[in-house]
C-alpha cells in the first residue's frame, strides 16, 4: 500500500445525494445510466486512491442508518397514537360507554363474547439487537435527545456478536417480556370494562364475567421445520411460565386485599400461590435438565406427578375462592377481583395460551407408519378421511406416562402426548391450539383428531389447519366443506363451540405475491363462513391471520385500524354477520420486530387498545364496493397476477439471484434456520422471512410491488377505474405502491455489475500495476460466473413490468408520484452504493492476497470466491490462520532457556493483517450494519 500523502477528502451525505441526482438526470442522454453504480465506482476508486477511508464510508452509512431508524420510529409513533395511552384507550372507552347506554344485555354480550386475541411467535425477526430495539422503543415513547443519542450509540456498535448468539432461550425470554407487558395492558382493559359497568349498572355489574382478548405464544412450542426443541424443553418452559404466573396472581391478590378484611379462604390464597409458585419453579428446574438420561427423567416425572398439598393444576381452584368471597367485600375490592378473575380465565395457569405447531408432513408420517393410510391421493384423501373418521369415532383414550413420551419417536404423536401430560399435571383448565402447517388435505386434520382422541385431549385441543401453500389457497374452501361433511368432525366442532383455521400471509405472499395472496385469503375466509353457515351448527369461526410486520408479510403500512381491516376485511365481517357466523379473530406479532409493539408499557397499551377497539367495533352493514360485484374483472386480475408470480418463482434466474451472493446480505435473525432441511430446492427452500429479507437487501420487494403492471394489460383503463372506485382494490394497490416506492432497479443492476468480469477488466486500465493485478485476479474468478447475467435478465423482466405499473399508478388516486418515489429512494441508494463500493474493495483486497502455501489446501482464488459470496467473516478467520501475526501463540515457549534468533517464517504477516485482514474485518462489520439499516426502509426484517 502506498504511503499517504494527504488528508482524506470530506465525505458528506449532501455530496453523495447530489451526486445521485446529477447521475440520474443523465438518463435522458444515456438510457444505460446507473446512478447507484456510478456512485459505487466513484467511492471505490477514491478508497483505492486513499482519498477516502473505510471509516468515512462506515460513518456515512451509520448516519443514513440513524436517519432511516428515526423515520421508522416516527411511523411507529404515529401508529401508536403518539405513545399516548389515554388517546389510544379513548375509542375503547367511547365504545364501551355507547354499549352501556344501549342496555346491560348489549354491554354484556359485547364484553363476555370471545372476540379473539394476540399471538406472539418466534419468527426470526430478531435482526436488531435487543439493546437497539429497546432504545428504539424508548425513542418512540419519548423522542428526547438522550434517547436519540442511545440509538446512535447502538448503531455504531458492532452488532455481529448479537446475531451469531441468538438462541431459542433468548427468544423465549423476549416473548415472555412481551407477554408481561401485554398482560398489564389486558388488566387495564379488564379494569375499564368493570368500572364502566359499575357506574352504568349499579345493580347488575357484579354479574359480569368479561372475556378478555387473549394473549398466546408458540415460542418454544413450534416444531414446524425445526428439530432442536425436545419435548421436555417445552414442558420445562411451560412449568417456568406457570411459576411466574402463579407468583403474579399471588402479588396481585396481595395488593388488592391490602387493608381489607377478607374471608379466610381468600385471605390465605396469596400465600398458597407463593408456595405453589415455588414448587412449580422446582419442577421447571428438574425438567430443564437433559431428560434423555432416564434417571433424570424418572426423578423429574415422579416429582411432578406426586401428590402435593401445594400443587395447583386448575385456575378454578382460584376463581372458586374469589367467587365465594365477593359478597363479603367492599365494592372497590369486588371490582378489582372481578377484573383479576377475568384475567385468570383468559390466561389460566400460564403467562399466555399455548400454540403448538407441527407440519402436515409430520402428521402424515404417523398415519402412514401406524395405520398404512395415504392422505395425499387426488380425491383429497377421501378414503383415508372416511377411515380416519371411523377410527376417531371408536378411539378410546390410552393410559399415558412420561416413559411413553420418552420412548416415542414420531414428532406429531409425541406432541399429542405432551399435550395430555401438560393438561394432566400442569394446567388442566387450559385450551391448547394445535396448528398444522402446510395443510393441503382434510384427511390430515381428521388424522390429528384421531390422535387427539387416542390421548384424551380432544376436549381442550383446537386442531387448526394452516392454509398458506398455493394448493391450499386454491382448495381451502373445499377442504373445510369436505371436513364438515364428516359427522365426526362436525361433532368435534360443536363440542369446541367454534371451528379453528389459520391463514398464512407470509408464505402465500412468497408463492403468489402479497396482493394475490391477500385476495386468496379473503376468498377462503368467505368460503369457510359459507360452509359453516350451511351446516347451521350454531358455532363460531376462529380465524388466526398469521402475518408479519412488513408489507411483504401482510402488514398494511398505516394505522392499526387499516392493518386489521386488511387482514379481516369489513366485507368479510359483514358477510359473517349476515350469515349468522360469529367471528373470533386472532393476529400475530412475530419475533423481535413484532415484540417491539410490546417493548414497554406504553407501546403495549396502545397496541392492545387498538386491538380492543377493533374487536369492539360493530360489524359493518352491507357494503357497496365494486370489488365484490365486478367479479369478472377482479378474478381475471387475480388469476393473471398469481400466474405472473408463479412464473417468477419458477424462473431459474430468480432462483440463482436468491441463492448466490444475495444470501450473504441477510444477517442471522433467529434461532431457526433460514432454509428448510430436505424437501424442495431453490426459492421454495427459503423460508418466507429469509425470502423477503433477501429481496429487501437487493432493493426489490417484488412479491408486493411487481406483477400488477403485467396483469390485465388490455383492460388497464377499466382496472384503473376499478381501483379508484373500490375501497378494497384501492387499498391493495396502495400496498403495492408503497412497496414500489422502495423498489430500485438501479440498485439491482448495480449488484449485477459487481459480478460482471468486464467491469473488473475496465478498472485495470485506470489502476497502477499492483492494483491492476488484484483486479485481474477478480476477473479470472468471475469470468465463468452466471450471477451477473441472471440478475440482468431478472432486472429486464422487472423493468418491463414496473414501467407498466408506473403508468397505472399515474392514474390512481393517492399514489405517490414518480418524482416522490425517486426522492424517497435516495437514502436507500446511498446505502446500496456504499455497500457495493465496500464489496469491490473487499474483492480487491482478496485479489491482493499473496501466494498461499499448498499445505493450506486453499488458494487466492478460493479467498476471492469467499469474498464474492460475502463470506467475509469466514475469509478473515481463514486468512488469520494462514498468516498468523508475528509472536502469536509464542506464550507457551517463553520458558525456553536456549538462545534463539526470534525470527520465523511468519515474518511480515503483520503487514498482511494491517493491510488486508483488518480492513476485510472492518468491511464485514460495515456491511452488517448496512444490512440492518436497510431493514428500516421496509419497516421490518423480512
Amino acid at each position: 500500500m502506498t504511503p499517504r500523502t494527504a488528508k482524506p477528502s470530506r465525505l458528506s451525505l449532501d455530496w453523495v445525494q447530489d451526486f445521485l441526482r446529477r447521475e440520474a438526470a443523465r438518463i435522458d442522454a444515456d438510457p444505460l445510466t446507473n446512478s447507484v453504480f456510478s456512485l459505487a465506482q466513484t467511492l471505490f476508486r477514491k478508497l483505492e486512491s486513499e482519498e477516502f477511508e473505510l471509516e468515512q464510508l462506515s460513518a456515512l452509512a451509520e448516519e443514513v442508518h440513524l436517519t432511516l431508524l428515526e423515520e421508522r420510529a416516527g411511523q411507529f409513533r404515529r401508529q401508536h397514537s403518539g405513545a399516548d395511552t389515554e388517546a389510544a384507550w379513548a375509542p375503547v372507552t367511547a365504545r364501551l360507554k355507547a354499549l352501556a347506554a344501549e342496555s346491560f344485555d348489549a354491554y354484556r354480550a359485547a364484553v363476555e363474547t370471545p372476540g379473539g386475541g394476540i399471538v406472539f411467535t418466534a419468527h426470526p425477526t430478531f435482526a436488531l439487537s435487543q439493546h437497539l430495539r429497546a432504545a428504539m422503543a424508548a425513542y418512540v415513547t419519548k423522542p428526547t435527545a438522550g434517547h436519540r443519542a442511545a440509538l446512535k450509540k447502538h448503531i455504531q456498535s458492532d452488532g455481529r456478536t448479537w446475531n451469531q448468539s441468538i438462541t431459542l432461550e433468548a427468544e423465549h425470554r423476549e416473548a415472555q417480556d412481551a407477554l408481561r407487558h401485554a398482560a398489564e395492558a389486558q388488566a387495564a382493559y379488564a379494569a375499564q370494562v368493570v368500572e364502566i359497568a359499575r357506574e352504568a349498572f349499579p345493580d347488575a355489574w357484579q354479574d359480569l364475567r368479561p372475556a378478555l382478548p387473549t394473549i398466546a405464544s408458540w415460542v418454544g412450542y413450534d416444531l414446524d421445520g425445526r428439530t432442536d426443541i425436545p419435548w421436555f424443553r417445552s414442558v420445562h418452559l411451560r412449568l417456568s411460565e406457570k411459576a411466574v404466573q402463579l407468583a403474579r396472581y399471588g402479588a396481585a391478590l396481595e395488593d388488592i386485599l391490602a387493608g381489607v378484611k377478607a374471608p379466610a379462604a381468600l385471605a390465605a390464597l396469596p400465600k398458597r400461590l407463593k408456595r405453589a409458585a415455588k414448587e412449580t419453579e422446582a419442577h421447571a428446574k428438574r425438567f430443564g435438565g437433559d431428560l434423555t438420561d432416564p434417571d433424570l427423567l424418572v426423578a423429574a416425572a415422579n416429582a411432578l406427578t406426586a401428590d402435593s398439598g401445594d400443587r395447583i393444576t386448575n385456575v378454578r381452584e382460584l376463581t372458586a375462592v374469589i367467587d365465594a368471597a365477593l359478597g363479603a367485600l367492599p365494592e372497590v375490592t369486588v371490582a378489582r377481583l372481578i377484573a383479576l378473575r377475568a384475567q385468570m380465565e383468559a390466561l389460566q395457569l400460564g403467562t399466555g395460551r399455548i400454540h403448538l405447531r407441527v407440519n402436515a408432513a409430520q402428521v402424515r408420517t404417523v398415519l402412514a407408519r401406524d395405520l398404512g393410510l395415504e392422505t395425499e391421493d387426488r380425491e383429497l384423501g377421501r378414503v383415508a378421511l372416511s377411515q380416519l373418521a371411523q377410527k376417531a369415532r371408536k378411539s378410546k383414550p390410552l393410559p399415558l406416562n412420561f416413559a411413553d413420551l420418552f420412548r416415542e419417536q414420531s414428532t406429531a404423536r409425541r406432541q399429542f402426548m405432551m399435550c395430555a401430560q401438560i393438561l394432566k399435571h400442569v394446567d388442566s383448565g387450559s385450551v391448547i391450539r394445535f396448528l398444522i402447517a402446510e395443510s393441503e388435505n382434510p384427511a390430515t386434520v381428521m388424522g390429528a383428531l384421531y390422535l387427539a382422541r387416542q390421548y384424551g385431549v380432544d376436549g381442550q385441543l383446537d386442531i387448526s389447519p394452516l392454509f398458506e401453500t398455493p394448493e391450499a389457497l386454491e382448495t381451502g374452501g373445499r377442504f373445510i366443506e369436505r371436513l364438515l361433511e364428516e359427522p365426526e368432525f362436525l361433532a368435534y366442532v360443536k363440542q369446541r363451540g367454534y371451528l379453528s383455521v389459520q391463514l398464512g400471509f407470509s408464505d402465500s405472499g412468497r408463492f403468489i405475491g402479497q396482493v394475490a395472496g391477500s385476495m386468496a385469503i379473503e376468498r377462503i375466509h368467505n368460503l369457510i363462513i359459507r360452509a359453516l353457515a350451511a351446516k347451521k351448527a350454531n358455532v363460531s369461526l376462529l380465524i388466526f391471520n398469521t402475518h408479519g410486520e412488513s408489507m411483504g408479510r401482510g402488514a398494511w403500512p398505516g394505522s392499526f385500524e387499516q392493518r386489521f381491516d386488511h387482514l379481516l376485511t369489513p366485507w368479510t365481517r359483514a358477510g359473517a354477520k349476515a350469515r349468522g357466523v360469529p367471528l373470533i379473530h386472532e393476529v400475530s406479532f412475530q419475533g423481535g420486530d413484532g415484540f417491539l409493539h410490546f417493548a414497554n408499557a406504553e407501546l403495549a397499551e396502545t397496541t392492545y387498545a387498538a386491538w380492543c377497539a377493533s374487536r369492539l367495533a360493530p360489524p359493518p352493514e352491507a357494503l357497496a364496493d365494486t370489488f365484490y360485484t365486478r367479479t369478472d374483472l377482479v378474478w381475471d386480475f387475480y388469476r393473471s397476477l398469481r400466474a405472473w408470480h408463479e412464473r417468477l418463482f419458477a424462473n431459474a434466474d430468480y432462483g440463482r439471484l436468491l441463492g448466490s451472493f444475495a444470501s450473504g446480505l441477510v444477517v442471522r435473525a433467529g434461532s431457526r434456520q433460514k432454509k428448510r432441511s430436505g424437501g424442495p430446492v431453490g426459492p421454495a427452500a427459503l423460508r418466507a422471512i429469509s425470502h423477503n429479507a433477501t429481496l429487501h437487501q437487493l432493493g426489490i420487494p417484488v412479491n408486493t410491488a411487481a406483477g400488477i403492471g403485467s396483469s390485465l394489460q388490455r383492460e388497464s383503463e377499466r382496472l384503473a377505474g376499478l381501483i379508484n372506485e373500490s375501497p378494497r382494490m384501492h387499498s391493495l394497490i396502495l400496498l403495492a405502491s408503497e412497496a414500489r416506492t422502495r423498489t430500485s432497479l438501479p440498485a439491482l443492476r448495480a449488484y449485477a455489475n459487481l459480478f460482471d468480469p468486464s467491469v473488473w477488466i475496465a478498472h485495470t486500465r485506470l489502476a497502477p500495476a499492483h492494483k491492476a493485478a488484484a483486479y485481474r485476479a477478480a476477473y479470472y474468478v468471475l469470468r465463468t460466473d452466471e450471477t451477473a447475467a441472471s440478475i440482468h435478465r431478472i432486472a429486464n423482466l422487472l423493468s418491463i413490468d414496473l414501467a407498466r405499473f408506473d403508468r397505472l399508478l399515474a392514474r390512481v388516486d393517492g399514489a405517490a408520484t414518480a418524482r416522490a418515489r425517486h426522492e424517497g429512494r435516495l437514502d436507500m441508494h446511498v446505502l446500496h452504493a456504499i455497500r457495493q463500493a465496500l464489496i469491490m474493495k473487499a474483492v480487491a483486497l482478496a485479489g491482493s492476497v499473496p501466494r498461499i502455501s499448498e499445505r493450506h489446501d486453499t488458494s487466492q482464488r478460493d479467498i476471492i470466491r469467499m469474498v464474492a459470496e460475502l463470506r467475509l467473516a469466514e475469509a478473515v478467520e481463514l486468512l488469520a490462520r494462514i498468516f498468523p501475526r508475528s509472536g502469536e501463540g509464542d506464550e507457551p515457549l517463553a520458558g525456553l532457556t536456549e538462545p534463539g534468533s526470534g525470527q520465523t517464517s511468519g515474518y511480515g504477516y503483520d503487514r498482511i493483517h494491517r493491510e488486508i485482514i483488518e480492513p476485510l474485518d472492518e468491511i464485514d462489520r460495515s456491511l452488517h450494519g448496512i444490512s440492518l439499516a436497510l431493514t428500516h426502509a421496509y419497516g421490518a426484517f423480512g
Side-chain angles (χ1 to χ4, degrees):
M1 185 174 288
T2 57
R4 183 178 301 286
T5 57
K7 289 184 178 180
S9 300
R10 185 172 181 275
L11 178 61
S12 71
L13 182 57
D14 287 341
W15 183 84
V16 293
Q17 288 183 336
D18 287 343
F19 183 101
L20 287 167
R21 291 188 185 99
R22 287 196 306 274
E23 287 297 305
R26 294 182 58 244
I27 198 165
D28 290 338
D30 179 8
L32 294 179
T33 291
N34 187 322
S35 59
V36 177
F37 195 59
S38 292
L39 177 57
Q41 290 190 102
T42 299
L43 295 175
F44 169 63
R45 288 198 300 270
K46 289 181 180 292
L47 280 174
E48 289 290 82
S49 67
E50 300 189 14
E51 188 177 340
F52 288 163
E53 295 180 327
L54 286 176
E55 291 79 5
Q56 288 177 282
L57 267 67
S58 296
L60 180 58
E62 288 165 357
E63 181 182 349
V64 178
H65 188 162
L66 181 59
T67 298
L68 290 174
L69 185 49
E70 286 186 282
E71 290 175 0
R72 179 180 178 185
Q75 293 166 353
F76 213 76
R77 193 177 299 114
R78 288 189 292 275
Q79 187 180 37
H80 285 263
S81 305
D84 182 343
T85 56
E86 188 175 337
W89 283 117
V92 177
T93 304
R95 178 60 182 156
L96 287 172
K97 287 183 175 179
L99 287 163
E102 289 182 33
S103 68
F104 179 71
D105 288 341
Y107 191 85
R108 186 176 206 167
V111 302
E112 290 190 352
T113 301
I118 288 166
V119 183
F120 297 101
T121 75
H123 284 82
T125 67
F126 298 88
L128 305 182
S129 73
Q130 190 173 8
H131 291 307
L132 181 52
R133 279 181 278 122
M136 178 182 163
Y139 184 68
V140 169
T141 307
K142 293 181 181 177
T144 63
H147 286 154
R148 185 179 186 274
L151 279 183
K152 188 174 182 179
K153 173 188 171 184
H154 291 301
I155 284 171
Q156 292 173 338
S157 65
D158 188 345
R160 291 176 294 178
T161 301
W162 160 263
N163 294 93
Q164 293 307 313
S165 63
I166 301 170
T167 63
L168 175 68
E169 288 74 19
E171 292 169 349
H172 183 264
R173 284 194 298 272
E174 290 202 43
Q176 291 304 302
D177 285 342
L179 283 163
R180 174 170 54 86
H181 290 137
E184 290 166 358
Q186 187 184 55
Y189 171 69
Q192 189 172 169
V193 167
V194 175
E195 196 54 41
I196 289 173
R198 182 183 169 203
E199 184 178 327
F201 311 109
D203 298 327
W205 68 274
Q206 294 193 29
D207 295 334
L208 276 182
R209 294 296 178 263
L212 308 180
T214 57
I215 55 177
S217 173
W218 76 37
V219 184
Y221 308 99
D222 171 23
L223 297 189
D224 176 29
R226 62 189 306 165
T227 58
D228 60 334
I229 308 178
W231 65 267
F232 52 83
R233 181 180 293 187
S234 294
V235 175
H236 157 71
L237 293 176
R238 193 55 181 173
L239 285 166
S240 301
E241 293 162 15
K242 177 182 176 180
V244 167
Q245 194 59 36
L246 289 173
R248 286 179 189 165
Y249 287 153
L253 278 170
E254 231 172 22
D255 180 57
I256 292 170
L257 298 177
V260 175
K261 185 172 177 56
L266 182 61
L269 199 52
K271 288 185 178 179
R272 183 187 172 196
L273 281 162
K274 285 183 180 179
R275 292 195 303 272
K278 186 176 180 180
E279 181 185 79
T280 305
E281 194 175 345
H283 291 315
K285 187 175 181 180
R286 293 187 191 95
F287 273 85
D290 180 9
L291 297 199
T292 58
D293 181 335
D295 292 334
L296 294 179
L297 171 69
V298 169
N302 283 345
L304 181 63
T305 59
D307 290 333
S308 165
D310 291 332
R311 187 168 63 168
I312 297 173
T313 57
N314 195 305
V315 81
R316 289 179 185 172
E317 297 174 53
L318 310 179
T319 58
V321 175
I322 292 173
D323 289 343
L326 290 179
L329 295 167
E331 272 200 7
V332 173
T333 305
V334 171
R336 295 181 69 186
L337 284 172
I338 290 175
L340 177 61
R341 187 193 189 286
Q343 192 162 38
M344 288 177 169
E345 289 287 355
L347 296 174
Q348 298 292 312
L349 298 183
T351 53
R353 297 190 176 194
I354 300 177
H355 280 213
L356 297 177
R357 191 166 73 144
V358 298
N359 193 279
Q362 293 166 322
V363 178
R364 290 198 303 269
T365 298
V366 173
L367 300 179
R369 186 196 70 184
D370 294 4
L371 305 175
L373 294 176
E374 177 54 57
T375 63
E376 295 304 298
D377 63 57
R378 291 178 177 269
E379 296 299 316
L380 292 178
R382 286 181 181 273
V383 173
L385 181 61
S386 298
Q387 292 181 8
L388 285 166
Q390 291 178 22
K391 288 182 177 293
R393 185 165 52 253
K394 297 175 182 177
S395 183
K396 302 295 181 186
L398 299 171
L400 178 70
N401 65 14
F402 281 104
D404 299 313
L405 259 170
F406 181 85
R407 288 188 289 262
E408 181 57 50
Q409 295 300 306
S410 73
T411 298
R413 189 181 287 279
R414 196 164 53 226
Q415 289 300 90
F416 285 103
M417 297 165 80
M418 185 182 74
C419 286
Q421 293 299 83
I422 287 175
L423 291 171
K424 189 193 308 181
H425 301 296
V426 181
D427 186 0
S428 62
S430 188
V431 173
I432 298 176
R433 188 74 48 79
F434 198 93
L435 304 166
I436 305 175
E438 298 187 334
S439 292
E440 295 182 346
N441 196 304
T444 307
V445 175
M446 186 62 77
L449 177 57
Y450 160 70
L451 292 170
R453 290 260 174 88
Q454 269 202 322
Y455 300 106
V457 295
D458 55 298
Q460 289 169 264
L461 205 67
D462 291 326
I463 299 169
S464 176
L466 165 54
F467 301 127
E468 57 187 338
T469 64
E471 173 72 16
L473 293 172
E474 192 68 28
T475 63
R478 297 198 299 278
F479 179 117
I480 294 298
E481 284 181 5
R482 184 67 188 89
L483 269 176
L484 292 174
E485 288 172 5
E486 289 293 337
E488 200 60 29
F489 187 78
L490 186 59
Y492 162 73
V493 170
K494 289 179 178 179
Q495 172 196 9
R496 297 298 309 130
Y498 48 84
L499 168 68
S500 299
V501 296
Q502 182 186 4
L503 285 301
F505 280 78
S506 295
D507 271 311
S508 61
R510 172 168 64 115
F511 291 121
I512 66 173
Q514 190 52 237
V515 171
S518 297
M519 294 173 71
I521 286 173
E522 183 180 14
R523 173 176 172 268
I524 290 178
H525 286 164
N526 283 277
L527 289 175
I528 294 174
I529 289 167
R530 291 174 191 173
L532 206 53
K535 290 298 178 182
K536 301 186 187 316
N538 195 30
V539 296
S540 301
L541 173 60
L542 190 159
I543 298 174
F544 176 22
N545 281 317
T546 320
H547 70 297
E549 297 304 312
S550 74
M551 292 173 285
R553 292 192 290 119
W556 211 95
S559 68
F560 276 126
E561 181 182 9
Q562 290 171 313
R563 173 170 170 170
F564 299 148
D565 280 350
H566 177 73
L567 299 171
L568 189 68
T569 64
W571 177 269
T572 298
R573 299 201 304 272
K577 179 185 177 185
R579 291 181 170 84
V581 178
L583 294 181
I584 303 171
H585 186 204
E586 292 182 347
V587 296
S588 58
F589 287 88
Q590 298 185 342
D593 284 337
F595 298 171
L596 259 173
H597 293 283
F598 296 83
N600 58 36
E602 293 87 350
L603 295 179
E605 275 205 49
T606 51
T607 306
Y608 194 85
W611 178 248
C612 291
S614 167
R615 299 318 304 143
L616 286 170
E621 301 300 328
L623 300 172
D625 189 331
T626 49
F627 180 87
Y628 303 102
T629 56
R630 293 297 312 277
T631 53
D632 55 341
L633 188 63
V634 167
W635 291 105
D636 282 350
F637 169 76
Y638 163 78
R639 283 187 287 269
S640 178
L641 179 58
R642 172 175 174 154
W644 190 94
H645 278 282
E646 288 178 330
R647 289 194 299 273
L648 175 68
F649 205 72
N651 188 314
D653 288 321
Y654 187 66
R656 199 171 290 122
L657 167 66
L658 297 178
S660 61
F661 79 100
S663 62
L665 301 174
V666 179
V667 303
R668 184 173 181 268
S671 64
R672 194 172 73 170
Q673 296 299 313
K674 292 181 183 179
K675 292 185 176 183
R676 295 182 181 274
S677 56
V681 295
L686 272 181
R687 298 183 186 279
I689 290 175
S690 299
H691 175 262
N692 281 15
T694 306
L695 296 178
H696 291 172
Q697 293 299 323
L698 292 168
I700 52 164
V702 292
N703 67 327
T704 307
I708 294 169
S710 300
S711 302
L712 296 189
Q713 294 176 55
R714 296 180 182 179
E715 302 277 3
S716 59
E717 290 290 340
R718 295 172 68 197
L719 182 58
L722 175 65
I723 294 168
N724 286 326
E725 67 187 27
S726 161
R728 174 60 171 158
M729 192 68 169
H730 191 255
S731 172
L732 289 168
I733 299 305
L734 283 188
L735 177 72
S737 174
E738 288 287 328
R740 175 67 182 102
T741 299
R742 296 159 179 79
T743 303
S744 172
L745 290 181
L748 179 65
R749 291 190 188 278
Y751 286 112
N753 292 338
L754 291 181
F755 299 94
D756 186 343
S758 62
V759 168
W760 291 95
I761 286 296
H763 276 284
T764 62
R765 296 199 298 271
L766 304 174
H770 68 286
K771 291 189 180 294
Y775 303 161
R776 279 193 296 273
Y779 159 77
Y780 286 123
V781 170
L782 296 173
R783 62 182 172 173
T784 58
D785 192 276
E786 292 293 320
T787 301
S790 288
I791 296 176
H792 278 306
R793 284 193 290 266
I794 290 295
N796 291 339
L797 175 69
L798 296 176
S799 180
I800 294 169
D801 173 72
L802 292 175
R804 293 168 178 162
F805 187 34
D806 290 345
R807 289 194 291 273
L808 179 66
L809 286 177
R811 290 177 281 177
V812 171
D813 298 337
T817 64
R819 180 178 180 81
R821 291 198 300 271
H822 292 157
E823 280 295 308
R825 288 193 285 265
L826 270 183
D827 285 341
M828 292 172 55
H829 281 174
V830 171
L831 288 175
H832 285 296
I834 293 173
R835 175 196 269 167
Q836 290 157 9
L838 291 173
I839 293 173
M840 293 184 76
K841 177 65 177 176
V843 171
L845 288 170
S848 63
V849 170
R851 184 180 179 278
I852 298 172
S853 170
E854 292 181 2
R855 67 187 175 86
H856 293 292
D857 196 27
T858 194
S859 67
Q860 182 198 61
R861 291 191 179 185
D862 294 328
I863 301 296
I864 294 173
R865 286 191 191 94
M866 290 170 69
V867 170
E869 293 170 0
L870 301 187
R871 294 155 53 201
L872 268 71
E874 190 178 339
V876 166
E877 184 181 351
L878 179 59
L879 288 172
R881 286 204 309 270
I882 294 172
F883 301 109
R885 293 180 188 273
S886 56
E888 197 170 88
D890 283 357
E891 291 82 359
L893 306 177
L896 286 173
T897 56
E898 182 183 11
S901 68
Q903 295 184 2
T904 70
S905 59
Y907 179 77
Y909 288 177
D910 287 352
R911 181 186 65 80
I912 295 174
H913 274 264
R914 187 174 60 254
E915 297 183 0
I916 297 176
I917 299 175
E918 290 174 6
L920 279 175
D921 187 58
E922 171 60 21
I923 289 171
D924 185 50
R925 188 191 74 81
S926 296
L927 293 178
H928 182 275
I930 290 171
S931 291
L932 297 181
L934 283 168
T935 67
H936 302 309
Y938 301 93
F941 179 84

